[in-house]
Amino acid sequence: GAGVSQSPSNKVTEKGKDVELRCDPISGHTALYWYRQSLGQGLEFLIYFQGNSAPDKSGLPSDRFSAERTGGSVSTLTIQRTQQEDSAVYLCASSLVGDLSYEQYFGPGTRLTVT
Amino acid sequence: AQKVTQAQTEISVVEKEDVTLDCVYETRDTTYYLFWYKQPPSGELVFLIRRNSFDEQNEISGRYSWNFQKSTSSFNFTITASQVVDSAVYFCALSEVTGNQFYFGTGTSLTVIP
């Protein structure tokens, strides 16, 4: 079946512009996660959505970052007024159950470059 | 402090050698889960194994084996008779159910030389 998909695969933007990153989870998966992977670093946990519950936003690096999940499916990560330090690969994952105990299935990521 | 430490940044081995990737974690939760993921050069992370904090049995899956020791807070991963296809970055991860947090280590880049 279809895996997690993300779009765009690459995004180059100018400093100060807003960007939107999209994630389509695996159908039927209740939980959706966003991570940031900077060059040579591990994965930084940003936010996750568990079913229809309000997400825990405490992992977002600044108030320029926000995320939505519409209808319990597609999610959008928005970065406002992008800065060069936002350059990274943004990964999305989904899991069948959302209590952090289940394996996550990852998408291919969106590589964001802020010039 | 790092919640998940993978001290080995890069490892190179010759094909057919055994290799162990170390993972040390830190948590105060009594219920937690440990994971290993593989990120091949193509980029997508692939789930390998999950362990809960109440199950210290070691596990073997083909050439892969995992050694979970709560006494040393370690969850090490061994590849036996390594192959070139094992070349990838391997991440260890911890989830704290109570704290609603998920932590990845910084990864170990494994290169298997033919």
Side-chain angles (χ1 to χ4, degrees):
Chain A
V4 177
S5 61
Q6 292 186 246
S7 60
S9 54
N10 279 284
K11 177 71 177 179
V12 180
T13 190
E14 291 181 355
K15 177 181 172 181
K17 300 277 180 134
D18 298 353
V19 295
E20 285 190 354
L21 312 180
R22 177 187 168 105
C23 172
D24 282 271
I26 293 173
S27 178
H29 279 195
T30 62
L32 186 147
Y33 311 79
W34 282 101
Y35 296 87
R36 178 168 69 176
Q37 185 175 26
S38 302
L39 188 63
Q41 302 294 314
L43 279 73
E44 178 186 4
F45 184 47
L46 298 178
I47 190 171
Y48 95 103
F49 297 87
Q50 180 178 353
N52 295 319
S53 303
D56 179 354
K57 301 180 180 180
S58 60
L60 294 175
S62 79
D63 58 9
R64 296 185 295 103
F65 287 70
S66 62
E68 289 186 344
R69 188 178 186 193
T70 53
S73 181
V74 172
S75 177
T76 302
L77 178 69
T78 301
I79 309 173
Q80 295 179 312
R81 305 181 302 282
T82 52
Q83 303 293 312
Q84 287 187 330
E85 60 262 29
D86 299 332
S87 296
V89 176
Y90 289 82
L91 294 170
C92 175
S94 69
S95 67
L96 187 60
V97 177
D99 64 358
L100 296 177
S101 67
Y102 276 69
E103 58 267 34
Q104 298 173 29
Y105 295 83
F106 283 80
T110 294
R111 182 174 298 278
L112 174 66
T113 304
V114 182
T115 61
Chain B
Q2 289 277 7
K3 285 282 192 176
V4 179
T5 302
Q6 295 181 256
Q8 304 149 308
T9 306
E10 294 182 4
I11 299 177
S12 290
V13 297
V14 177
E15 198 170 22
K16 297 184 183 177
E17 286 185 347
D18 299 347
V19 58
T20 296
L21 310 182
D22 298 332
C23 174
V24 174
Y25 62 92
E26 176 187 334
T27 181
R28 293 181 179 178
D29 279 20
T30 54
T31 303
Y32 55 89
Y33 295 82
L34 296 163
F35 302 79
W36 276 96
Y37 285 85
K38 174 181 179 179
Q39 188 174 35
S42 64
E44 290 193 35
L45 279 100
V46 176
F47 165 80
L48 294 178
I49 191 172
R50 174 189 65 197
R51 258 294 176 261
N52 74 57
S53 52
F54 300 108
D55 182 2
E56 284 193 76
Q57 274 194 328
N58 292 328
E59 183 158 339
I60 298 174
S61 176
R63 295 183 297 106
Y64 295 172
S65 62
W66 291 269
N67 184 344
F68 176 27
Q69 292 196 341
K70 289 179 75 170
S71 61
T72 55
S73 296
S74 65
F75 186 43
N76 296 338
F77 173 29
T78 297
I79 302 174
T80 303
S82 59
Q83 300 177 1
V84 172
V85 293
D86 296 328
S87 295
V89 180
Y90 290 87
F91 291 94
C92 181
L94 162 74
S95 73
E96 292 179 329
V97 177
T98 304
N100 232 21
Q101 289 290 323
F102 204 92
Y103 305 93
F104 274 85
T106 51
T108 296
S109 177
L110 173 66
T111 301
V112 180
I113 303 165

PDB file of all heavy atoms in Angstrom, chain B residues 22-54:
ATOM      1  N   ASP B  22      26.379   0.911  19.610  1.00  0.00           N
ATOM      2  CA  ASP B  22      26.019   1.153  21.004  1.00  0.00           C
ATOM      3  C   ASP B  22      24.925   2.215  21.138  1.00  0.00           C
ATOM      4  O   ASP B  22      24.878   3.177  20.368  1.00  0.00           O
ATOM      5  CB  ASP B  22      27.257   1.617  21.787  1.00  0.00           C
ATOM      6  CG  ASP B  22      28.360   0.581  21.818  1.00  0.00           C
ATOM      7  OD1 ASP B  22      28.034  -0.615  21.733  1.00  0.00           O
ATOM      8  OD2 ASP B  22      29.531   0.970  21.933  1.00  0.00           O
ATOM      9  N   CYS B  23      24.097   2.029  22.141  1.00  0.00           N
ATOM     10  CA  CYS B  23      23.060   3.005  22.458  1.00  0.00           C
ATOM     11  C   CYS B  23      22.874   3.032  23.972  1.00  0.00           C
ATOM     12  O   CYS B  23      22.618   1.990  24.579  1.00  0.00           O
ATOM     13  CB  CYS B  23      21.748   2.643  21.778  1.00  0.00           C
ATOM     14  SG  CYS B  23      20.343   3.695  22.251  1.00  0.00           S
ATOM     15  N   VAL B  24      23.002   4.198  24.544  1.00  0.00           N
ATOM     16  CA  VAL B  24      22.763   4.389  25.974  1.00  0.00           C
ATOM     17  C   VAL B  24      21.667   5.430  26.121  1.00  0.00           C
ATOM     18  O   VAL B  24      21.665   6.449  25.443  1.00  0.00           O
ATOM     19  CB  VAL B  24      24.055   4.864  26.684  1.00  0.00           C
ATOM     20  CG1 VAL B  24      23.764   5.193  28.139  1.00  0.00           C
ATOM     21  CG2 VAL B  24      25.129   3.804  26.582  1.00  0.00           C
ATOM     22  N   TYR B  25      20.730   5.162  27.010  1.00  0.00           N
ATOM     23  CA  TYR B  25      19.597   6.070  27.153  1.00  0.00           C
ATOM     24  C   TYR B  25      19.463   6.525  28.593  1.00  0.00           C
ATOM     25  O   TYR B  25      20.039   5.928  29.512  1.00  0.00           O
ATOM     26  CB  TYR B  25      18.301   5.393  26.686  1.00  0.00           C
ATOM     27  CG  TYR B  25      17.929   4.173  27.496  1.00  0.00           C
ATOM     28  CD1 TYR B  25      17.085   4.277  28.602  1.00  0.00           C
ATOM     29  CD2 TYR B  25      18.447   2.926  27.169  1.00  0.00           C
ATOM     30  CE1 TYR B  25      16.770   3.170  29.355  1.00  0.00           C
ATOM     31  CE2 TYR B  25      18.133   1.814  27.925  1.00  0.00           C
ATOM     32  CZ  TYR B  25      17.300   1.935  29.019  1.00  0.00           C
ATOM     33  OH  TYR B  25      16.996   0.840  29.765  1.00  0.00           O
ATOM     34  N   GLU B  26      18.680   7.548  28.778  1.00  0.00           N
ATOM     35  CA  GLU B  26      18.448   8.100  30.111  1.00  0.00           C
ATOM     36  C   GLU B  26      16.972   8.441  30.247  1.00  0.00           C
ATOM     37  O   GLU B  26      16.414   9.186  29.437  1.00  0.00           O
ATOM     38  CB  GLU B  26      19.302   9.354  30.300  1.00  0.00           C
ATOM     39  CG  GLU B  26      19.098  10.078  31.604  1.00  0.00           C
ATOM     40  CD  GLU B  26      19.845  11.395  31.664  1.00  0.00           C
ATOM     41  OE1 GLU B  26      20.872  11.529  30.957  1.00  0.00           O
ATOM     42  OE2 GLU B  26      19.398  12.297  32.377  1.00  0.00           O
ATOM     43  N   THR B  27      16.336   7.914  31.271  1.00  0.00           N
ATOM     44  CA  THR B  27      14.943   8.242  31.521  1.00  0.00           C
ATOM     45  C   THR B  27      14.597   7.978  32.973  1.00  0.00           C
ATOM     46  O   THR B  27      15.206   7.117  33.612  1.00  0.00           O
ATOM     47  CB  THR B  27      14.006   7.427  30.608  1.00  0.00           C
ATOM     48  OG1 THR B  27      12.652   7.795  30.863  1.00  0.00           O
ATOM     49  CG2 THR B  27      14.158   5.934  30.828  1.00  0.00           C
ATOM     50  N   ARG B  28      13.603   8.692  33.457  1.00  0.00           N
ATOM     51  CA  ARG B  28      13.095   8.437  34.809  1.00  0.00           C
ATOM     52  C   ARG B  28      11.766   7.701  34.761  1.00  0.00           C
ATOM     53  O   ARG B  28      11.240   7.296  35.795  1.00  0.00           O
ATOM     54  CB  ARG B  28      12.925   9.756  35.569  1.00  0.00           C
ATOM     55  CG  ARG B  28      14.237  10.457  35.860  1.00  0.00           C
ATOM     56  CD  ARG B  28      14.027  11.736  36.633  1.00  0.00           C
ATOM     57  NE  ARG B  28      15.300  12.396  36.922  1.00  0.00           N
ATOM     58  CZ  ARG B  28      15.405  13.561  37.551  1.00  0.00           C
ATOM     59  NH1 ARG B  28      14.324  14.188  37.940  1.00  0.00           N
ATOM     60  NH2 ARG B  28      16.585  14.098  37.778  1.00  0.00           N
ATOM     61  N   ASP B  29      11.217   7.573  33.564  1.00  0.00           N
ATOM     62  CA  ASP B  29       9.962   6.844  33.427  1.00  0.00           C
ATOM     63  C   ASP B  29      10.192   5.362  33.689  1.00  0.00           C
ATOM     64  O   ASP B  29      11.257   4.817  33.375  1.00  0.00           O
ATOM     65  CB  ASP B  29       9.409   7.005  32.005  1.00  0.00           C
ATOM     66  CG  ASP B  29       8.671   8.307  31.830  1.00  0.00           C
ATOM     67  OD1 ASP B  29       8.892   9.230  32.637  1.00  0.00           O
ATOM     68  OD2 ASP B  29       7.865   8.399  30.894  1.00  0.00           O
ATOM     69  N   THR B  30       9.192   4.706  34.248  1.00  0.00           N
ATOM     70  CA  THR B  30       9.288   3.251  34.431  1.00  0.00           C
ATOM     71  C   THR B  30       8.771   2.524  33.204  1.00  0.00           C
ATOM     72  O   THR B  30       9.121   1.377  32.968  1.00  0.00           O
ATOM     73  CB  THR B  30       8.495   2.803  35.674  1.00  0.00           C
ATOM     74  OG1 THR B  30       7.156   3.285  35.562  1.00  0.00           O
ATOM     75  CG2 THR B  30       9.131   3.350  36.943  1.00  0.00           C
ATOM     76  N   THR B  31       7.924   3.224  32.446  1.00  0.00           N
ATOM     77  CA  THR B  31       7.413   2.653  31.205  1.00  0.00           C
ATOM     78  C   THR B  31       7.946   3.446  30.038  1.00  0.00           C
ATOM     79  O   THR B  31       7.663   4.641  29.903  1.00  0.00           O
ATOM     80  CB  THR B  31       5.873   2.669  31.180  1.00  0.00           C
ATOM     81  OG1 THR B  31       5.363   1.970  32.302  1.00  0.00           O
ATOM     82  CG2 THR B  31       5.365   2.036  29.892  1.00  0.00           C
ATOM     83  N   TYR B  32       8.714   2.802  29.245  1.00  0.00           N
ATOM     84  CA  TYR B  32       9.284   3.470  28.081  1.00  0.00           C
ATOM     85  C   TYR B  32       9.543   2.433  26.995  1.00  0.00           C
ATOM     86  O   TYR B  32       9.462   1.227  27.236  1.00  0.00           O
ATOM     87  CB  TYR B  32      10.578   4.229  28.440  1.00  0.00           C
ATOM     88  CG  TYR B  32      11.639   3.385  29.105  1.00  0.00           C
ATOM     89  CD1 TYR B  32      12.597   2.699  28.346  1.00  0.00           C
ATOM     90  CD2 TYR B  32      11.707   3.279  30.485  1.00  0.00           C
ATOM     91  CE1 TYR B  32      13.570   1.928  28.952  1.00  0.00           C
ATOM     92  CE2 TYR B  32      12.676   2.510  31.107  1.00  0.00           C
ATOM     93  CZ  TYR B  32      13.602   1.833  30.341  1.00  0.00           C
ATOM     94  OH  TYR B  32      14.575   1.073  30.944  1.00  0.00           O
ATOM     95  N   TYR B  33       9.821   2.922  25.810  1.00  0.00           N
ATOM     96  CA  TYR B  33      10.064   2.055  24.670  1.00  0.00           C
ATOM     97  C   TYR B  33      11.351   2.476  23.985  1.00  0.00           C
ATOM     98  O   TYR B  33      11.661   3.664  23.903  1.00  0.00           O
ATOM     99  CB  TYR B  33       8.905   2.132  23.667  1.00  0.00           C
ATOM    100  CG  TYR B  33       7.615   1.593  24.221  1.00  0.00           C
ATOM    101  CD1 TYR B  33       6.798   2.378  25.036  1.00  0.00           C
ATOM    102  CD2 TYR B  33       7.208   0.289  23.969  1.00  0.00           C
ATOM    103  CE1 TYR B  33       5.629   1.880  25.577  1.00  0.00           C
ATOM    104  CE2 TYR B  33       6.036  -0.214  24.497  1.00  0.00           C
ATOM    105  CZ  TYR B  33       5.256   0.586  25.302  1.00  0.00           C
ATOM    106  OH  TYR B  33       4.101   0.086  25.834  1.00  0.00           O
ATOM    107  N   LEU B  34      12.053   1.493  23.496  1.00  0.00           N
ATOM    108  CA  LEU B  34      13.296   1.734  22.773  1.00  0.00           C
ATOM    109  C   LEU B  34      13.150   1.211  21.352  1.00  0.00           C
ATOM    110  O   LEU B  34      12.500   0.189  21.123  1.00  0.00           O
ATOM    111  CB  LEU B  34      14.458   1.031  23.470  1.00  0.00           C
ATOM    112  CG  LEU B  34      14.758   1.547  24.877  1.00  0.00           C
ATOM    113  CD1 LEU B  34      15.622   0.560  25.643  1.00  0.00           C
ATOM    114  CD2 LEU B  34      15.441   2.915  24.799  1.00  0.00           C
ATOM    115  N   PHE B  35      13.767   1.913  20.432  1.00  0.00           N
ATOM    116  CA  PHE B  35      13.643   1.580  19.022  1.00  0.00           C
ATOM    117  C   PHE B  35      15.008   1.674  18.336  1.00  0.00           C
ATOM    118  O   PHE B  35      15.893   2.431  18.764  1.00  0.00           O
ATOM    119  CB  PHE B  35      12.724   2.573  18.296  1.00  0.00           C
ATOM    120  CG  PHE B  35      11.328   2.680  18.846  1.00  0.00           C
ATOM    121  CD1 PHE B  35      11.070   3.432  19.980  1.00  0.00           C
ATOM    122  CD2 PHE B  35      10.271   2.048  18.213  1.00  0.00           C
ATOM    123  CE1 PHE B  35       9.784   3.546  20.484  1.00  0.00           C
ATOM    124  CE2 PHE B  35       8.977   2.165  18.704  1.00  0.00           C
ATOM    125  CZ  PHE B  35       8.735   2.910  19.839  1.00  0.00           C
ATOM    126  N   TRP B  36      15.125   0.949  17.250  1.00  0.00           N
ATOM    127  CA  TRP B  36      16.214   1.159  16.304  1.00  0.00           C
ATOM    128  C   TRP B  36      15.591   1.385  14.925  1.00  0.00           C
ATOM    129  O   TRP B  36      14.655   0.666  14.532  1.00  0.00           O
ATOM    130  CB  TRP B  36      17.167  -0.043  16.243  1.00  0.00           C
ATOM    131  CG  TRP B  36      18.225  -0.027  17.310  1.00  0.00           C
ATOM    132  CD1 TRP B  36      18.192  -0.658  18.511  1.00  0.00           C
ATOM    133  CD2 TRP B  36      19.477   0.645  17.257  1.00  0.00           C
ATOM    134  NE1 TRP B  36      19.334  -0.411  19.212  1.00  0.00           N
ATOM    135  CE2 TRP B  36      20.156   0.383  18.466  1.00  0.00           C
ATOM    136  CE3 TRP B  36      20.119   1.445  16.302  1.00  0.00           C
ATOM    137  CZ2 TRP B  36      21.432   0.883  18.753  1.00  0.00           C
ATOM    138  CZ3 TRP B  36      21.379   1.942  16.579  1.00  0.00           C
ATOM    139  CH2 TRP B  36      22.025   1.658  17.796  1.00  0.00           C
ATOM    140  N   TYR B  37      16.152   2.389  14.234  1.00  0.00           N
ATOM    141  CA  TYR B  37      15.760   2.683  12.860  1.00  0.00           C
ATOM    142  C   TYR B  37      16.999   2.720  11.989  1.00  0.00           C
ATOM    143  O   TYR B  37      18.085   3.084  12.435  1.00  0.00           O
ATOM    144  CB  TYR B  37      15.070   4.054  12.772  1.00  0.00           C
ATOM    145  CG  TYR B  37      13.656   4.081  13.288  1.00  0.00           C
ATOM    146  CD1 TYR B  37      13.393   4.266  14.645  1.00  0.00           C
ATOM    147  CD2 TYR B  37      12.580   3.926  12.422  1.00  0.00           C
ATOM    148  CE1 TYR B  37      12.094   4.295  15.118  1.00  0.00           C
ATOM    149  CE2 TYR B  37      11.273   3.954  12.890  1.00  0.00           C
ATOM    150  CZ  TYR B  37      11.043   4.139  14.234  1.00  0.00           C
ATOM    151  OH  TYR B  37       9.753   4.164  14.696  1.00  0.00           O
ATOM    152  N   LYS B  38      16.788   2.376  10.728  1.00  0.00           N
ATOM    153  CA  LYS B  38      17.876   2.402   9.744  1.00  0.00           C
ATOM    154  C   LYS B  38      17.554   3.454   8.688  1.00  0.00           C
ATOM    155  O   LYS B  38      16.419   3.520   8.196  1.00  0.00           O
ATOM    156  CB  LYS B  38      17.980   1.024   9.065  1.00  0.00           C
ATOM    157  CG  LYS B  38      18.972   0.945   7.916  1.00  0.00           C
ATOM    158  CD  LYS B  38      18.955  -0.454   7.308  1.00  0.00           C
ATOM    159  CE  LYS B  38      19.926  -0.572   6.132  1.00  0.00           C
ATOM    160  NZ  LYS B  38      19.924  -1.935   5.544  1.00  0.00           N
ATOM    161  N   GLN B  39      18.533   4.283   8.362  1.00  0.00           N
ATOM    162  CA  GLN B  39      18.353   5.281   7.308  1.00  0.00           C
ATOM    163  C   GLN B  39      19.384   5.009   6.219  1.00  0.00           C
ATOM    164  O   GLN B  39      20.526   5.439   6.300  1.00  0.00           O
ATOM    165  CB  GLN B  39      18.503   6.705   7.842  1.00  0.00           C
ATOM    166  CG  GLN B  39      18.148   7.772   6.825  1.00  0.00           C
ATOM    167  CD  GLN B  39      18.166   9.175   7.423  1.00  0.00           C
ATOM    168  OE1 GLN B  39      18.977   9.483   8.290  1.00  0.00           O
ATOM    169  NE2 GLN B  39      17.266  10.033   6.967  1.00  0.00           N
ATOM    170  N   PRO B  40      18.986   4.292   5.158  1.00  0.00           N
ATOM    171  CA  PRO B  40      19.919   3.982   4.077  1.00  0.00           C
ATOM    172  C   PRO B  40      20.221   5.237   3.271  1.00  0.00           C
ATOM    173  O   PRO B  40      19.574   6.270   3.463  1.00  0.00           O
ATOM    174  CB  PRO B  40      19.166   2.947   3.238  1.00  0.00           C
ATOM    175  CG  PRO B  40      17.728   3.186   3.550  1.00  0.00           C
ATOM    176  CD  PRO B  40      17.657   3.727   4.949  1.00  0.00           C
ATOM    177  N   PRO B  41      21.176   5.169   2.368  1.00  0.00           N
ATOM    178  CA  PRO B  41      21.531   6.341   1.563  1.00  0.00           C
ATOM    179  C   PRO B  41      20.340   6.962   0.830  1.00  0.00           C
ATOM    180  O   PRO B  41      20.352   8.156   0.550  1.00  0.00           O
ATOM    181  CB  PRO B  41      22.569   5.787   0.599  1.00  0.00           C
ATOM    182  CG  PRO B  41      23.203   4.660   1.346  1.00  0.00           C
ATOM    183  CD  PRO B  41      22.087   4.047   2.147  1.00  0.00           C
ATOM    184  N   SER B  42      19.312   6.171   0.550  1.00  0.00           N
ATOM    185  CA  SER B  42      18.128   6.697  -0.141  1.00  0.00           C
ATOM    186  C   SER B  42      17.366   7.685   0.726  1.00  0.00           C
ATOM    187  O   SER B  42      16.568   8.464   0.232  1.00  0.00           O
ATOM    188  CB  SER B  42      17.203   5.557  -0.561  1.00  0.00           C
ATOM    189  OG  SER B  42      16.696   4.895   0.588  1.00  0.00           O
ATOM    190  N   GLY B  43      17.591   7.621   2.041  1.00  0.00           N
ATOM    191  CA  GLY B  43      17.038   8.655   2.917  1.00  0.00           C
ATOM    192  C   GLY B  43      15.909   8.287   3.833  1.00  0.00           C
ATOM    193  O   GLY B  43      15.775   8.879   4.880  1.00  0.00           O
ATOM    194  N   GLU B  44      15.033   7.339   3.467  1.00  0.00           N
ATOM    195  CA  GLU B  44      13.871   7.084   4.302  1.00  0.00           C
ATOM    196  C   GLU B  44      14.223   6.182   5.471  1.00  0.00           C
ATOM    197  O   GLU B  44      14.856   5.146   5.301  1.00  0.00           O
ATOM    198  CB  GLU B  44      12.754   6.436   3.476  1.00  0.00           C
ATOM    199  CG  GLU B  44      12.144   7.383   2.477  1.00  0.00           C
ATOM    200  CD  GLU B  44      10.856   6.859   1.883  1.00  0.00           C
ATOM    201  OE1 GLU B  44      10.098   6.182   2.603  1.00  0.00           O
ATOM    202  OE2 GLU B  44      10.598   7.124   0.690  1.00  0.00           O
ATOM    203  N   LEU B  45      13.792   6.594   6.655  1.00  0.00           N
ATOM    204  CA  LEU B  45      14.037   5.784   7.840  1.00  0.00           C
ATOM    205  C   LEU B  45      13.138   4.562   7.822  1.00  0.00           C
ATOM    206  O   LEU B  45      11.952   4.636   7.497  1.00  0.00           O
ATOM    207  CB  LEU B  45      13.760   6.578   9.111  1.00  0.00           C
ATOM    208  CG  LEU B  45      14.875   7.497   9.538  1.00  0.00           C
ATOM    209  CD1 LEU B  45      14.559   8.912   9.100  1.00  0.00           C
ATOM    210  CD2 LEU B  45      15.070   7.443  11.037  1.00  0.00           C
ATOM    211  N   VAL B  46      13.724   3.439   8.244  1.00  0.00           N
ATOM    212  CA  VAL B  46      13.010   2.186   8.272  1.00  0.00           C
ATOM    213  C   VAL B  46      13.068   1.622   9.685  1.00  0.00           C
ATOM    214  O   VAL B  46      14.145   1.547  10.287  1.00  0.00           O
ATOM    215  CB  VAL B  46      13.632   1.177   7.278  1.00  0.00           C
ATOM    216  CG1 VAL B  46      12.942  -0.167   7.393  1.00  0.00           C
ATOM    217  CG2 VAL B  46      13.549   1.709   5.859  1.00  0.00           C
ATOM    218  N   PHE B  47      11.920   1.238  10.202  1.00  0.00           N
ATOM    219  CA  PHE B  47      11.830   0.668  11.537  1.00  0.00           C
ATOM    220  C   PHE B  47      12.486  -0.705  11.556  1.00  0.00           C
ATOM    221  O   PHE B  47      12.291  -1.526  10.662  1.00  0.00           O
ATOM    222  CB  PHE B  47      10.352   0.567  11.916  1.00  0.00           C
ATOM    223  CG  PHE B  47      10.068  -0.315  13.095  1.00  0.00           C
ATOM    224  CD1 PHE B  47      10.263   0.162  14.385  1.00  0.00           C
ATOM    225  CD2 PHE B  47       9.597  -1.611  12.929  1.00  0.00           C
ATOM    226  CE1 PHE B  47       9.983  -0.641  15.476  1.00  0.00           C
ATOM    227  CE2 PHE B  47       9.322  -2.410  14.013  1.00  0.00           C
ATOM    228  CZ  PHE B  47       9.523  -1.925  15.291  1.00  0.00           C
ATOM    229  N   LEU B  48      13.267  -0.969  12.620  1.00  0.00           N
ATOM    230  CA  LEU B  48      13.908  -2.276  12.769  1.00  0.00           C
ATOM    231  C   LEU B  48      13.333  -3.054  13.951  1.00  0.00           C
ATOM    232  O   LEU B  48      13.000  -4.228  13.814  1.00  0.00           O
ATOM    233  CB  LEU B  48      15.424  -2.107  12.960  1.00  0.00           C
ATOM    234  CG  LEU B  48      16.208  -1.536  11.780  1.00  0.00           C
ATOM    235  CD1 LEU B  48      17.675  -1.383  12.155  1.00  0.00           C
ATOM    236  CD2 LEU B  48      16.052  -2.410  10.554  1.00  0.00           C
ATOM    237  N   ILE B  49      13.249  -2.411  15.116  1.00  0.00           N
ATOM    238  CA  ILE B  49      12.816  -3.132  16.291  1.00  0.00           C
ATOM    239  C   ILE B  49      12.285  -2.179  17.347  1.00  0.00           C
ATOM    240  O   ILE B  49      12.664  -1.006  17.392  1.00  0.00           O
ATOM    241  CB  ILE B  49      13.959  -3.974  16.904  1.00  0.00           C
ATOM    242  CG1 ILE B  49      13.410  -4.922  17.977  1.00  0.00           C
ATOM    243  CG2 ILE B  49      15.041  -3.051  17.468  1.00  0.00           C
ATOM    244  CD1 ILE B  49      14.419  -5.924  18.498  1.00  0.00           C
ATOM    245  N   ARG B  50      11.383  -2.695  18.173  1.00  0.00           N
ATOM    246  CA  ARG B  50      10.863  -1.974  19.333  1.00  0.00           C
ATOM    247  C   ARG B  50      10.982  -2.884  20.545  1.00  0.00           C
ATOM    248  O   ARG B  50      10.751  -4.093  20.458  1.00  0.00           O
ATOM    249  CB  ARG B  50       9.397  -1.630  19.121  1.00  0.00           C
ATOM    250  CG  ARG B  50       8.723  -1.012  20.331  1.00  0.00           C
ATOM    251  CD  ARG B  50       7.229  -0.902  20.117  1.00  0.00           C
ATOM    252  NE  ARG B  50       6.618  -2.216  20.013  1.00  0.00           N
ATOM    253  CZ  ARG B  50       5.417  -2.418  19.504  1.00  0.00           C
ATOM    254  NH1 ARG B  50       4.722  -1.412  19.029  1.00  0.00           N
ATOM    255  NH2 ARG B  50       4.913  -3.624  19.451  1.00  0.00           N
ATOM    256  N   ARG B  51      11.334  -2.278  21.672  1.00  0.00           N
ATOM    257  CA  ARG B  51      11.418  -3.003  22.939  1.00  0.00           C
ATOM    258  C   ARG B  51      10.733  -2.181  24.004  1.00  0.00           C
ATOM    259  O   ARG B  51      10.946  -0.974  24.091  1.00  0.00           O
ATOM    260  CB  ARG B  51      12.878  -3.190  23.344  1.00  0.00           C
ATOM    261  CG  ARG B  51      13.464  -4.545  23.097  1.00  0.00           C
ATOM    262  CD  ARG B  51      12.850  -5.561  23.923  1.00  0.00           C
ATOM    263  NE  ARG B  51      13.290  -6.916  23.691  1.00  0.00           N
ATOM    264  CZ  ARG B  51      12.598  -7.760  22.945  1.00  0.00           C
ATOM    265  NH1 ARG B  51      11.540  -7.374  22.299  1.00  0.00           N
ATOM    266  NH2 ARG B  51      12.994  -8.993  22.859  1.00  0.00           N
ATOM    267  N   ASN B  52       9.920  -2.803  24.873  1.00  0.00           N
ATOM    268  CA  ASN B  52       9.373  -2.051  25.993  1.00  0.00           C
ATOM    269  C   ASN B  52      10.219  -2.291  27.230  1.00  0.00           C
ATOM    270  O   ASN B  52      10.972  -3.270  27.310  1.00  0.00           O
ATOM    271  CB  ASN B  52       7.892  -2.374  26.220  1.00  0.00           C
ATOM    272  CG  ASN B  52       7.676  -3.740  26.848  1.00  0.00           C
ATOM    273  OD1 ASN B  52       8.211  -4.021  27.916  1.00  0.00           O
ATOM    274  ND2 ASN B  52       6.879  -4.564  26.212  1.00  0.00           N
ATOM    275  N   SER B  53      10.075  -1.416  28.195  1.00  0.00           N
ATOM    276  CA  SER B  53      10.960  -1.407  29.361  1.00  0.00           C
ATOM    277  C   SER B  53      10.789  -2.625  30.254  1.00  0.00           C
ATOM    278  O   SER B  53      11.612  -2.874  31.137  1.00  0.00           O
ATOM    279  CB  SER B  53      10.735  -0.131  30.176  1.00  0.00           C
ATOM    280  OG  SER B  53       9.365   0.044  30.465  1.00  0.00           O
ATOM    281  N   PHE B  54       9.731  -3.379  30.051  1.00  0.00           N
ATOM    282  CA  PHE B  54       9.489  -4.544  30.903  1.00  0.00           C
ATOM    283  C   PHE B  54       9.975  -5.846  30.277  1.00  0.00           C
ATOM    284  O   PHE B  54       9.844  -6.910  30.880  1.00  0.00           O
ATOM    285  CB  PHE B  54       7.996  -4.648  31.210  1.00  0.00           C
ATOM    286  CG  PHE B  54       7.472  -3.440  31.932  1.00  0.00           C
ATOM    287  CD1 PHE B  54       6.654  -2.532  31.282  1.00  0.00           C
ATOM    288  CD2 PHE B  54       7.815  -3.188  33.251  1.00  0.00           C
ATOM    289  CE1 PHE B  54       6.185  -1.394  31.936  1.00  0.00           C
ATOM    290  CE2 PHE B  54       7.356  -2.059  33.914  1.00  0.00           C
ATOM    291  CZ  PHE B  54       6.533  -1.164  33.253  1.00  0.00           C
TER     292      PHE B  54
END
